[in-house]
Amino acid sequence: MNIGELFDATADAADAVPSLTIRRPDDWHIHLRDGGMLKAVLPFTAAQFARGIVMPNLVPPVTSVADATAYRERIMAARPDGSDFQPLMTCYLTDHTRPDEIERGFAERAWIAAKLYPAGATTNAHHGVTDLVALAPVLERMEKIGMPVLIHGESTDPSVDIFDREEVFMEKSLLPLLKRHQGLKAVIEHVTTSGTVDIVRAHAPRVAGTVTPHHLVINRTSIFQGGLRPHLYCLPVAKRESHRLALRKAVTSGESCFMIGTDTAPHVRGAKEAECCSAGIFGGVTALQTYVQVFDEEGALDRFEAFASLNGARFHGLEPNKGTLTLLKRPSSVLSAVPVDEKEVVVFRGGEVLPWSIGRVKA
Ligand SMILES: [Zn+2]
């Protein structure tokens, strides 16, 4: 597959189209899976982002330094020729996570953060944490060594309405957790409600929030537009229009507590168009084009670089990337699906003509 063609990477910013050049951006929340899927989807993330925080929800999950190191090596081996993409690894927290292992992995840079899934919250989350209070020794150690926890914030109580699960988690679990661990650095991932936006703001700078491209452009009605749209189903599920508008305001506000986290989460078509559709949207191909379109529509292009390339690095104590990436306001059509072995993964906004395209990357 020719990434240059897909992304128009040969285009020159000197063309007579409006363009925006920013430091190379990072993606603070990606699912790369493994095997053939990893090989198929990684080139798209690597073409857009210099670094990415890789989620550990493999089967079985990444819970040890040895697992994380081996997975990182498989990702490095799957990079396209010439790619300098750097995967940043995470540890999957379980009821059995040991504080010493967490600290060892952080000290050795085997991982830079740990991922907290409430047990059963989403894809491959059944090994997740059942009791946040019992996790205290692990979180205390992370607090002490300055290691961030990345939180999938949804209640797993089956009696809670699916559209209320984020709000209930924030009230019943997250706010008490932040109170118990007042020095803990935390990322609230894939924020979908105005209430969570306010919580992130109120706890910055030790708390940050990632926002996906899809939650900026779809609302819960989109999932049912003209019939059921399985490729727009993800967790947390998209919310009401008023929440979508709050998310757009938040990311374009210039506040340093919001950053990119695409939550690109590929599943093969058969797992989406199924009796029981898997949760996840494959946004890796159209992430930057979507984000920059939102900033353009909101009249906030001057704030895009901070959201895309600076805020996350600062939160994680990393230097911003040295190189640049140019985005061009020139329509480009997007491929509809990416082949994976004998199957395919449907691309978010695939088949559409998008107003922005990816231009030149300078390392
Ligand atoms: Zn995710």
Side-chain angles (χ1 to χ4, degrees), residues 61-351:
V62 175
T63 57
S64 69
V65 171
D67 292 344
T69 306
Y71 186 28
R72 183 171 194 278
E73 278 166 15
R74 296 199 296 281
I75 296 167
M76 295 296 276
R79 293 187 310 181
D81 289 345
S83 171
D84 62 355
F85 177 75
Q86 290 298 318
L88 303 170
M89 310 309 290
T90 52
C91 172
Y92 185 117
L93 296 176
T94 73
D95 290 342
H96 311 290
T97 302
R98 291 182 301 109
D100 287 349
E101 181 80 354
I102 282 287
E103 181 165 0
R104 181 165 81 90
F106 190 62
E108 294 175 6
R109 305 304 280 170
W111 47 55
I112 73 159
K115 173 76 183 218
L116 172 55
Y117 289 107
T122 187
T123 306
N124 302 335
H126 42 275
H127 296 282
V129 174
T130 58
D131 181 357
L132 293 184
V133 176
L135 195 65
V138 171
L139 297 178
E140 279 164 15
R141 185 70 64 89
M142 291 174 62
E143 190 171 343
K144 195 172 144 210
I145 62 178
M147 177 174 166
V149 61
L150 316 179
I151 301 176
H152 181 114
E154 283 195 289
S155 169
T156 53
D157 178 346
S159 69
V160 174
D161 188 284
I162 188 167
F163 295 103
D164 297 335
R165 285 181 187 171
E166 181 169 311
E167 189 184 338
V168 169
F169 179 89
M170 295 305 150
E171 292 299 323
K172 290 198 170 164
S173 301
L174 183 83
L175 289 174
L177 183 148
L178 292 177
K179 205 166 183 183
R180 288 196 301 275
H181 302 281
Q182 304 223 348
L184 182 66
K185 290 176 74 174
V187 176
I188 315 306
E189 304 197 290
H190 38 55
V191 173
T192 66
T193 74
S194 60
T196 307
V197 164
D198 292 340
I199 288 171
V200 170
R201 276 187 183 130
H203 293 81
R206 69 148 168 149
V207 171
T210 60
V211 181
T212 74
H214 45 276
H215 288 118
L216 295 171
V217 296
I218 66 166
N219 61 27
R220 66 187 198 177
T221 300
S222 313
I223 305 167
F224 306 97
Q225 203 78 59
L228 186 58
R229 306 278 181 168
H231 299 287
L232 299 183
Y233 171 61
C234 64
L235 291 173
V237 72
K239 306 297 191 300
R240 285 179 182 279
E241 177 66 358
S242 56
H243 294 294
R244 185 183 75 93
L245 297 177
L247 295 177
R248 289 172 69 104
K249 279 246 167 329
V251 299
T252 57
S253 67
E255 291 163 282
S256 59
C257 54
F258 298 106
M259 59 206 201
I260 282 186
T262 64
D263 198 13
T264 179
H267 293 279
V268 294
R269 184 189 283 276
K272 296 293 289 177
E273 298 171 11
E275 189 172 12
C276 186
C277 161
S278 297
I281 291 177
F282 178 44
V285 180
T286 53
L288 283 178
Q289 300 93 311
T290 302
Y291 283 125
V292 75
Q293 181 184 347
V294 169
F295 276 72
D296 190 11
E297 288 165 357
E298 300 288 332
L301 285 176
D302 58 323
R303 294 169 181 172
F304 186 57
E305 183 178 45
F307 174 71
S309 314
L310 303 176
N311 296 348
R314 189 183 307 112
F315 179 86
H316 286 285
L318 302 169
E319 289 293 317
N321 297 306
K322 298 253 183 300
T324 59
L325 176 141
T326 299
L327 295 149
L328 304 170
K329 194 168 185 181
R330 180 166 68 189
S332 62
S333 50
V334 179
L335 77 174
S336 57
V338 171
V340 181
D341 299 326
E342 304 297 287
K343 300 173 179 161
E344 62 179 11
V345 181
V346 172
V347 170
F348 177 60
R349 309 186 78 194

